[in-house]
């Protein structure tokens, strides 16, 4: 489960990481500052087997997790999706609310529910997506007033773990669900506020739990995943003739991505866990120009894992990760050097 890094309306960054007992949270004391408060434990009854954190246009942070709790003697594990909201940086969250699963009457099927993906569309509605027991996609929507609708079946089949969801700046939602048989399933809103529809399958032979995406130009989302055979990072957009290889075959898990200015150029910055270097690797390339070449550079201390990327209140790239001891590691973009140079890593709080 990846670390999540969000910038609030007040410009402060907040990092979220699943830990024993719930979710750890760290928050900048001031926008772009070196001091952080945390970790603060957001307690969850049971165990989170999956967590995503997404942000609304108002800056609200929605935490959505897949919770496992022990069943009674001879009974299956109790599984449900839980949700909580943080309305302001550094403030307490609402209580966790159970969304159940697409299989409320069949605990055995509920056990096969996959980890959630989520996104907020232009209307302010939060949608939560999971792989259901049949290998398709189920979704549940919270309307802008906070009312939850029922689970709906979005169909699909052979879906693997680790779907990826996001929305463009104007609120047009997309969902990518890696599936078997060398394809990924895609749903999208043709325009903000439109009903989501199924798109053509994406030519992606993707590893489970490797999908991610970022808005690489206004209204366009670039999707990333790892090739199932080579492990190489692949990039694809709806106008792409074919997925573009980006190297990074020694890495694991999804890549973190953020759009940023590097040397005055509009770039996509990428980071992933790289066992070959013992920590993380970082790369950057001009937005939507993967053919320009991508070079992965080792970064971070030994054992650093689950990277996240965001822009701070001063517009600098911030790379965050977890250390082996559970502390938060943070490195910021240098503004006085050419290229994507990062400052020395700082360690935040205790794990």
């Amino acid at each position: 489960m990846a670390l999540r890094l969000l910038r609030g309306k007040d410009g402060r960054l907040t990092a979220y990481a699943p830990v024993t007992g719930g979710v750890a949270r760290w928050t900048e004391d001031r926008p772009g500052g070196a001091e952080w408060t945390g970790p603060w434990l957001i307690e969850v009854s049971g165990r989170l087997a999956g967590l995503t954190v997404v942000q609304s246009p108002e800056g609200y942070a929605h935490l959505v997790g897949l919770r496992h709790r022990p069943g009674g003697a001879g009974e299956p594990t109790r599984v449900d999706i839980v949700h909580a909201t943080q309305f302001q940086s550094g403030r307490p969250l609402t209580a966790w609310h159970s969304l159940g699963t697409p299989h409320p009457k069949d605990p055995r099927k509920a056990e096969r529910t996959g980890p959630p993906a989520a996104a907020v569309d232009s209307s302010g509605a939060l949608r939560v997506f999971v792989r259901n027991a049949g290998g398709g996609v189920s979704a549940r929507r919270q309307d802008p007033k906070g009312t939850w609708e029922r689970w709906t079946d979005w169909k699909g089949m052979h879906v693997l773990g680790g779907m990826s969801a996001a929305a463009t700046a104007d609120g047009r939602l997309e969902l990518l669900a890696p599936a078997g048989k060398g394809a990924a399933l895609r749903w999208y809103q043709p325009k903000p506020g439109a009903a989501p529809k199924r798109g053509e399958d994406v030519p992606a032979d993707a590893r489970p739990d490797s999908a991610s995406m970022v808005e690489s130009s206004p209204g366009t989302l670039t999707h990333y995943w790892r090739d199932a055979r080579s492990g190489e990072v692949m990039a694809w957009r709806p106008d792409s003739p074919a997925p573009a290889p980006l190297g990074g075959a020694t890495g694991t898990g999804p890549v973190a991505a953020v759009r940023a200015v590097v040397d005055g150029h509009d770039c996509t910055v990428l980071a992933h866990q790289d066992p070959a270097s013992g920590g993380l690797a970082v790369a950057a390339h001009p937005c939507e120009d993967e053919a320009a070449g991508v070079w992965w550079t080792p970064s971070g201390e030994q054992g650093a894992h689950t990277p996240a990327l965001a822009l701070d209140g001063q517009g600098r790239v911030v790379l965050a990760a977890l250390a082996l001891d559970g502390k938060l590691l943070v490195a910021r973009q240098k503004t006085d050097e050419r290229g994507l140079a990062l400052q020395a890593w700082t360690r935040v709080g205790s794990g």
Side-chain angles (χ1 to χ4, degrees):
M1 292 184 286
L3 179 72
R4 304 289 177 172
L5 189 64
L6 300 181
R7 186 176 70 192
K9 279 293 187 180
D10 63 0
R12 291 189 293 164
L13 293 173
T14 301
Y16 305 86
V19 295
T20 301
V23 180
R25 187 188 76 185
W26 299 261
T27 305
E28 283 183 316
D29 289 351
R30 60 181 178 83
E35 300 299 322
W36 295 65
T37 297
W40 184 68
L41 179 64
I42 305 166
E43 295 185 353
V44 177
S45 61
R47 178 178 66 87
L48 287 180
L51 174 73
T52 189
V53 185
V54 297
Q55 195 169 32
S56 73
E58 300 85 6
Y60 303 161
H62 293 278
L63 284 69
V64 186
L66 174 65
R67 178 172 64 175
H68 286 187
R69 290 176 293 172
E75 296 180 352
T77 300
R78 291 184 293 164
V79 173
D80 62 350
I81 303 297
V82 291
H83 166 256
T85 306
Q86 181 181 333
F87 294 106
Q88 289 181 285
S89 300
R91 302 295 296 170
L93 281 74
T94 64
W96 290 97
H97 171 66
S98 176
L99 306 183
T101 73
H103 313 287
K105 297 181 180 180
D106 193 329
R108 296 293 181 186
K109 286 186 176 180
E111 278 190 301
R112 303 204 296 273
T113 302
V120 180
D121 67 18
S122 61
S123 72
L126 169 67
R127 279 189 170 90
V128 175
F129 307 95
V130 297
R131 184 198 66 230
N132 58 43
V137 173
S138 292
R140 193 165 183 186
R141 179 180 182 270
Q142 183 190 42
D143 70 23
K145 295 182 179 180
T147 301
W148 284 97
E149 300 170 358
R150 295 182 177 181
W151 286 100
T152 58
D153 187 357
W154 281 30
K155 307 301 182 181
M157 57 193 307
H158 306 303
V159 172
L160 307 173
M163 296 185 291
S164 175
T168 57
D170 62 2
R172 188 181 56 78
L173 178 146
E174 290 195 23
L175 172 72
L176 189 76
K181 301 185 181 299
L185 314 183
R186 176 174 171 262
W187 287 261
Y188 70 102
Q189 288 177 301
K191 60 181 181 180
K197 61 183 293 185
R198 174 82 176 268
E200 293 185 0
D201 291 353
V202 180
D205 188 11
R207 288 184 178 177
D209 303 315
S210 71
S212 61
M213 67 178 90
V214 70
E215 187 171 17
S216 50
S217 65
T220 300
L221 291 162
T222 295
H223 299 264
Y224 300 94
W225 63 84
R226 289 191 184 280
D227 183 77
R229 296 182 181 179
S230 69
E232 189 171 19
V233 177
M234 310 297 289
W236 180 88
R237 287 176 295 282
D239 61 353
S240 302
L246 301 181
T250 59
T252 60
V255 295
V258 69
R259 185 180 173 194
V261 175
V262 179
D263 286 344
H265 299 287
D266 185 13
C267 291
T268 299
V269 179
L270 306 171
H272 67 179
Q273 190 170 334
D274 184 14
S277 66
L280 311 178
V282 181
H285 66 82
C287 279
E288 301 186 355
D289 186 11
E290 290 83 7
V294 175
W295 291 269
W296 294 92
T297 302
S299 179
E301 66 176 54
Q302 292 290 309
H305 58 98
T306 57
L309 287 165
L311 300 182
D312 69 10
Q314 300 178 25
R316 297 174 296 179
V317 174
V318 176
L319 173 61
L322 294 178
L324 288 176
D325 61 5
K327 290 185 179 179
L328 181 68
L329 303 171
V330 177
R332 296 181 196 270
Q333 181 182 11
K334 294 181 179 179
T335 57
D336 56 353
E337 291 188 21
R338 292 186 58 82
L340 182 63
L342 298 175
Q343 298 173 356
W345 286 85
T346 59
R347 298 167 69 84
V348 180
S350 58

